[in-house]
Amino acid sequence: MRDMQDDDTKLPAPPPAAAAAARRAAGGTAPDASALRERFAKVAQVAPPEAAVDAAEDEVTRIRALIDEMRPTFRRDGGDIELVRVEGAKVIVHLSGACAGCMLAGQTLYGVQKRITDVLGRPFRVIPDIRH
């Protein structure tokens, strides 16, 4: 019995150019490599750096606005909160006045963190900035 893997009956695969010519002769067209590269380049396009910077600036603006909305509550209790900077998913804030030494500052910052996360739709960590 002959082995099923015997290559005596198999024909070698035609070279790519010959395969393309055979497709054209049969009425098909060979794929245009440059058109494929162009098409997939559009799909895989990454946002230009300017768009990323604009998105980050927009996020910082929204965080600043959220903190400004919460500021009257802090001031009513004799303290204040101020946005220092945003580094990726870290929001660094400075607590002053009565808020700086308050035992509930951790819970307060958690509330700020939850509000920012809920509004912006992605997780953030609110970290107090310690200034001496």
Side-chain angles (χ1 to χ4, degrees):
M1 186 166 177
R2 291 187 71 168
D3 188 7
M4 297 296 285
Q5 298 295 326
D6 196 354
D7 287 340
D8 292 319
T9 59
K10 286 187 179 178
L11 296 174
R23 261 196 309 276
R24 273 192 230 101
T29 59
D32 181 16
S34 61
L36 284 173
R37 277 192 297 272
E38 195 174 295
R39 180 174 158 205
F40 286 110
K42 288 178 184 175
V43 171
Q45 237 176 10
V46 178
E50 301 87 34
V53 170
D54 289 343
E57 288 176 3
D58 180 49
E59 213 168 55
V60 171
T61 303
R62 292 176 71 188
I63 291 170
R64 183 170 279 118
L66 287 169
I67 289 175
D68 286 343
E69 282 178 18
M70 293 181 261
R71 181 168 274 145
T73 305
F74 285 86
R75 288 184 175 166
R76 187 173 46 242
D77 292 335
D80 201 3
I81 186 171
E82 161 187 359
L83 177 65
V84 176
R85 66 185 174 278
V86 177
E87 297 172 353
K90 294 180 186 175
V91 177
I92 293 91
V93 296
H94 177 70
L95 296 174
S96 59
C99 293
C102 180
M103 302 258 314
L104 297 175
Q107 290 179 349
T108 302
L109 290 178
Y110 175 75
V112 173
Q113 174 178 306
K114 182 158 177 31
R115 175 89 170 118
I116 291 171
T117 298
D118 289 346
V119 169
L120 295 181
R122 73 178 185 98
F124 283 90
R125 285 191 67 199
V126 177
I127 303 167
D129 181 43
I130 309 299
R131 297 180 189 174
H132 294 284

